Amino acid sequence: MDTASITNYNEMPQEDYKYAIASQIAYDNYDNKGDLNDTQQKLDGYMENYYLDPEFASENSSLIVSSDGDAILAFRGTRPTNIDDIITDAGILTNQPKTDKVPDRFIEAQRTYEEASRVYSKLEVTGHSLGGTISDYISRKNDVKSVAFNAGETPFSTIDLPLNTQKKAFHYTTNTFDLVSFSNHMYSHFNPIRQVPQVVDADSWLGSHSLDNFLPSKSQMPLSSDPETIIPTGIATASEIYEQPSFIQQQKYPMVENGNNKIIYKKFEKVREKIEINTNNKQLAFCERNPRHRRCLNKNF
C-alpha cells in the first residue's frame, strides 16, 4: 500500500471555494426537505451567478450551474439520522466500493452522473465526507474532475481503485487528525492530498471533519465571479428594456461578447436576469434566471 504525498496550503485556495459551496448546497437541500426556493436562496447567499438545477436536486445530490453552463454535481455527505447514510458508511468501512459489492448509493450516483453528463458538456463532481468518497469513485470511473473534502476511507484494505482516471481527482483534508478521512493518506493518489488549516473548533477532532473548514468566511460571501457585468439596481426595469430596445443599441448597459450574442446582466436585488442580443438577426431575448431551464420572451428590434 503506497502512502499519498501531501501539499500544504496556508489557506483554502479561492478557486476551489465553488466546490465546497456545491457540497454545502447538497446538505442544505436535504436539510430543508427539498425546498428548492430555499436552497436557491442559500446558494445566492454563498455565491453569485450559480443556479440550482431542479431536475438534479434530490436528497442525495444537487447540481449547480453557472450562466456559462459550467456544472458541478455535488454528492451529499452523512447525516447521522439517515439510515441509508449509515449503511453506506459501513460499506465504505468494509471496502465495498473497491470490490464487486458496490453500495447502492454509489450505483445511484453513477446513474445521476450519466444523466447529468448528457445535459452538461462541462460537468465536474464534488462532495464532502461520504459525498467525497462517492465523488472520487465517480472521478475514477468516468475520468471526470472531482474535488473531494475529507472523503471517507477505510483503514482495513490493501487495495485501491485504479489510478488511470485519477489525474482529475483532488482531495482536501485539514492539517489535523480527522478520524473519517485520515486513511486517505495510506493510499496512493495521482495528485498530492491538499491540506489546509483547521479553522473550526481547532482543538476538536470533530471540528477537523467539518466542511466549514473549506468554505469562505461569512465576510467573503457571496462570492462573485463577474462583478463587471452587474448593472446597479434602478437604472431600468425589464419593461423599460422591452419597450425601449434603443437603450441597448446605444450601449447604455454593460455587455460581454459571446460569439454573435451580446449578453447583458441586470441585477434586481439577489435575482440576476439575463438579456441576450443576437447581432445577426437583431433579436432580443429576456430570459429567466436559470440558464438551462429558462423561458425567454423574444423581441425584434
Side-chain angles (χ1 to χ4, degrees):
M1 183 184 302
D2 297 327
T3 302
S5 59
I6 298 172
T7 299
N8 284 290
Y9 290 80
N10 292 327
E11 59 184 11
M12 182 69 189
Q14 293 188 5
E15 63 268 20
D16 286 340
Y17 277 145
K18 62 183 179 181
Y19 302 104
I21 289 172
S23 297
Q24 181 62 49
I25 285 297
Y27 281 113
D28 289 340
N29 194 56
Y30 174 80
D31 292 339
N32 67 24
K33 300 183 179 356
D35 184 333
L36 300 183
N37 288 331
D38 182 73
T39 304
Q40 180 64 57
Q41 288 179 10
K42 285 182 167 58
L43 178 55
D44 290 340
Y46 297 131
M47 181 168 57
E48 296 182 335
N49 208 29
Y50 272 85
Y51 312 99
L52 182 73
D53 186 334
E55 289 191 12
F56 295 100
S58 71
E59 68 170 13
N60 293 332
S61 62
S62 294
L63 187 149
I64 65 172
V65 56
S66 73
S67 61
D68 295 327
D70 298 336
I72 303 174
L73 176 61
F75 302 104
R76 180 179 59 79
T78 300
R79 285 299 192 228
T81 55
N82 186 309
I83 187 63
D84 180 59
D85 293 356
I86 303 304
I87 292 172
T88 307
D89 286 340
I92 294 172
L93 185 63
T94 56
N95 204 43
Q96 288 182 5
K98 300 176 185 178
T99 69
D100 58 358
K101 297 180 180 179
V102 179
D104 290 343
R105 187 76 159 268
F106 286 71
I107 296 172
E108 174 194 320
Q110 173 63 23
R111 184 169 59 249
T112 302
Y113 170 77
E114 290 173 357
E115 292 173 355
S117 66
R118 287 193 285 268
V119 176
Y120 296 103
S121 60
K122 297 179 181 179
L123 178 64
E124 299 169 337
V125 294
T126 190
H128 168 254
S129 192
L130 163 60
T133 309
I134 295 174
S135 180
D136 180 66
Y137 173 85
I138 296 298
S139 173
R140 295 176 188 246
K141 190 173 178 66
N142 301 278
D143 195 27
V144 60
K145 181 177 179 179
S146 160
V147 179
F149 302 95
N150 279 343
E153 186 55 270
T154 178
F156 306 119
S157 177
T158 58
I159 63 174
D160 200 3
L161 291 170
L163 284 173
N164 61 331
T165 62
Q166 206 191 359
K167 296 178 183 179
K168 299 179 182 179
F170 300 89
H171 285 258
Y172 277 98
T173 66
T174 50
N175 60 0
T176 48
F177 179 79
D178 172 41
L179 182 64
V180 175
S181 62
F182 83 95
S183 295
N184 271 294
H185 296 240
M186 300 165 55
Y187 296 94
S188 56
H189 296 278
F190 190 92
N191 299 303
I193 290 177
R194 300 173 174 183
Q195 284 193 344
V196 298
Q198 178 180 338
V199 296
V200 177
D201 298 331
D203 297 326
S204 166
W205 282 7
L206 292 177
S208 70
H209 188 64
S210 174
L211 180 58
D212 289 344
N213 290 297
F214 310 100
L215 289 167
S217 65
K218 290 183 179 180
S219 63
Q220 293 174 285
M221 295 189 286
L223 302 182
S224 178
S225 59
D226 59 346
E228 72 281 359
T229 64
I230 297 176
I231 303 172
T233 300
I235 288 183
T237 65
S239 61
E240 288 175 331
I241 294 173
Y242 276 128
E243 296 302 323
Q244 303 184 51
S246 60
F247 281 7
I248 297 171
Q249 293 173 304
Q250 294 169 14
Q251 298 188 15
K252 289 189 176 181
Y253 300 94
M255 295 184 181
V256 290
E257 298 290 340
N258 179 19
N260 289 326
N261 294 333
K262 292 183 178 180
I263 301 176
I264 303 172
Y265 291 89
K266 178 167 176 57
K267 186 177 180 184
F268 297 93
E269 296 180 351
K270 289 188 176 181
V271 178
R272 192 187 305 273
E273 303 183 40
K274 183 164 73 174
I275 303 154
E276 293 184 1
I277 308 167
N278 188 302
T279 55
N280 281 347
N281 61 17
K282 295 187 180 301
Q283 186 178 67
L284 168 66
F286 185 83
C287 302
E288 291 187 347
R289 62 186 307 164
N290 190 309
R292 189 166 77 84
H293 296 275
R294 64 188 184 190
R295 292 189 297 272
C296 297
L297 298 174
N298 297 310
K299 182 179 179 66
N300 294 322
F301 63 94

